[in-house]
Amino acid sequence: MRFTIFNTPVIHPLCVLIARLGLFLSGWKVEGKKPKAPRFILIAAPHTSNWDFFYGIAIGLCTGVHCYWTGKSSLFWGPFGPIMRWLGGIAVDRTKPKSMVEQTVCAFKGNKQLRLVICPEGTRAKGDRWRTGFYHVAKNANIPIILGYLDFKRKAGGFGPIVKPTDNMEKDLCEIQAFYEGITGKFPERFSPVQSKSCCTQYSDTPAKVLIAK
């Protein structure tokens, strides 16, 4: 079994106490119900600053949600590699997105319990739209997508709706975008749209079919 910050004996309870104290002192609150599914993709958005990582880890510790996360391979070089892996990190080669999707699908199919955090924006800088690898993984592995969030305006973070991929990816992505329109990142101007506005116009009058996490 791979030990991480979420399950290392003795150290884990201390980290939980530190996380709870840190969130309390900074005025942050945790919202939403803890996902019970043994396998899922947890979206981490908006991703606009380095602070997102620390608040995300703190919320994971406080809620007992043991997740792994993916990061660019350069974060795992040298002495930082073991630290990042202990924090739940998995290095990925972003130059081969198709291969990464296939490997992630195989990982989900080969494990009865796997919870993976993904930042679809791919970068803290503003982009044209989200990368859709997370959606293809969820669709092909037949797992749900949990909409995780960090709202710096309200100082609140946690778990939002559950999205189950259908045969209409554009519509599903537009429903995801509708949820995040009310969420404010650390630097709002850097938040990348899930889809272009033109793609979502045709679905603007269609009620969102998302299931609230239970």
Side-chain angles (χ1 to χ4, degrees):
M1 179 177 63
R2 173 182 169 183
F3 285 115
T4 68
I5 190 174
F6 299 104
N7 61 3
T8 303
V10 182
I11 297 178
H12 169 66
L14 178 59
C15 290
V16 172
L17 289 175
I18 294 174
R20 289 176 177 172
L21 181 61
L23 291 177
F24 174 76
L25 293 178
S26 59
W28 275 70
K29 58 183 178 180
V30 180
E31 300 177 333
K33 294 183 179 181
K34 173 183 175 180
K36 296 181 179 180
R39 302 185 308 157
F40 58 76
I41 285 177
L42 177 63
I43 296 300
H47 181 40
T48 63
S49 77
N50 289 326
W51 284 104
D52 304 337
F53 176 79
F54 299 103
Y55 283 115
I57 290 290
I59 291 174
L61 287 168
C62 291
T63 58
V65 177
H66 180 180
C67 285
Y68 292 96
W69 51 272
T70 59
K72 55 185 178 182
S73 56
S74 60
L75 292 174
F76 296 80
W77 289 351
F80 295 104
I83 297 175
M84 290 298 178
R85 293 185 180 87
W86 182 71
L87 291 173
I90 298 174
V92 297
D93 184 356
R94 293 182 176 176
T95 63
K96 302 177 180 179
K98 184 176 180 179
S99 174
M100 188 173 68
V101 168
E102 294 174 347
Q103 291 180 43
T104 306
V105 170
C106 289
F108 272 108
K109 290 184 176 181
N111 288 276
K112 294 182 178 179
Q113 180 171 313
L114 179 58
R115 298 162 177 176
L116 184 64
V117 177
I118 294 180
C119 297
E121 293 168 83
T123 175
R124 296 184 300 277
K126 186 177 179 61
D128 294 332
R129 57 182 292 176
W130 284 12
R131 299 175 183 180
T132 57
F134 76 96
Y135 185 90
H136 294 296
V137 170
K139 176 71 173 177
N140 293 326
N142 192 29
I143 59 173
I145 300 170
I146 311 294
L147 304 188
Y149 63 93
L150 290 173
D151 192 332
F152 281 79
K153 184 177 182 179
R154 298 189 302 112
K155 288 190 174 183
F159 312 103
I162 296 174
V163 174
K164 296 182 178 179
T166 67
D167 293 326
N168 191 332
M169 183 180 74
E170 285 194 356
K171 183 178 180 181
D172 292 342
L173 293 179
C174 286
E175 291 179 348
I176 292 174
Q177 179 158 297
F179 171 76
Y180 283 105
E181 285 179 353
I183 308 298
T184 304
K186 176 69 173 177
F187 301 104
E189 68 278 5
R190 297 181 184 176
F191 188 29
S192 305
V194 181
Q195 285 268 67
S196 63
K197 290 185 177 180
S198 59
C199 289
C200 293
T201 300
Q202 60 181 313
Y203 303 117
S204 60
D205 297 326
T206 303
K209 294 183 178 179
V210 294
L211 303 176
I212 300 301
K214 295 183 178 180

